Amino acid sequence: MRAGRAGLPWAARALIACAASGAVWCAAPALLGPGHVEWAVLLPLAALYAICEFAPRCPLMGHRVPGNMGAFFPVLLTAAFLLPPAAAALVPLPGALIGRVEHRHAAARRVWHAAQLALAAWASAWICAPLGASLAGAGASAGASVG
């Protein structure tokens, strides 16, 4: 341990490790079976989220962009609606890893942020998948009965 700096508590390390392991487990089907992933949807959403997270750190933007305000969550919600859960878990990873964090324990904070958002996107997509199918079916049957 460095003099004058407190190390990260073991409980925090364990929590971060569990969250990161859970995020990897959730995203594993998309990584192991990439043929089932709609990369044409995933990659632009991940890039958009990364750009939004990087904007507050960009020297060209200065301090004109407020950071950590949560205004970029609609991108993750879009991923939850359009992608299967494993693919939706991949969308926040690039942005969370390059986003702004405090300097103290920066690597641990980035991993925690990435795991937290990946798990949230996975859970949202998991909930939205059956709802989206039932809503699409209801919309198709409503359109058929009108015409």
Side-chain angles (χ1 to χ4, degrees), residues 47 51 57 72 84 94 98:
I51 290 168
R57 294 182 61 197
F72 315 127
I98 66 168

Side-chain angles (χ1 to χ4, degrees), residues 4 9 14 18 21 25-26 29 32-33 47 51 53 55 58 60 69 81 86 88 93 122 125 127 133 137 144 147:
C18 287
S21 298
W25 181 79
C26 290
L32 297 175
I51 290 168
E53 283 285 341
C58 181
L60 298 175
M69 63 181 183
F81 283 129
L93 295 182
W122 177 84
I127 295 296

Side-chain angles (χ1 to χ4, degrees), residues 4 8-9 19 22 32 34 37 49 55 62 69-70 73-74 81 86 95-96 113 115 119 121-122 129 132 136 139 145:
L8 193 62
L32 297 175
V37 176
Y49 189 73
M69 63 181 183
F73 290 145
F81 283 129
H113 190 61
L119 290 169
W122 177 84
S145 64

Side-chain angles (χ1 to χ4, degrees), residues 21-134:
S21 298
V24 168
W25 181 79
C26 290
L31 296 172
L32 297 175
H36 302 292
V37 176
E38 296 178 41
W39 294 102
V41 176
L42 189 148
L43 292 177
L45 286 173
L48 178 61
Y49 189 73
I51 290 168
C52 292
E53 283 285 341
F54 182 71
R57 294 182 61 197
C58 181
L60 298 175
M61 298 297 288
H63 295 288
R64 291 179 268 174
V65 179
N68 297 333
M69 63 181 183
F72 315 127
F73 290 145
V75 176
L76 301 181
L77 188 60
T78 302
F81 283 129
L82 296 178
L83 295 169
L90 295 175
V91 170
L93 295 182
L97 292 174
I98 66 168
R100 181 169 47 182
V101 295
E102 293 181 25
H103 292 293
R104 187 172 185 202
H105 307 299
R109 290 177 191 269
R110 288 184 199 284
V111 171
W112 169 253
H113 190 61
Q116 179 184 9
L117 291 175
L119 290 169
W122 177 84
S124 299
W126 192 80
I127 295 296
C128 288
L131 294 176
S134 66

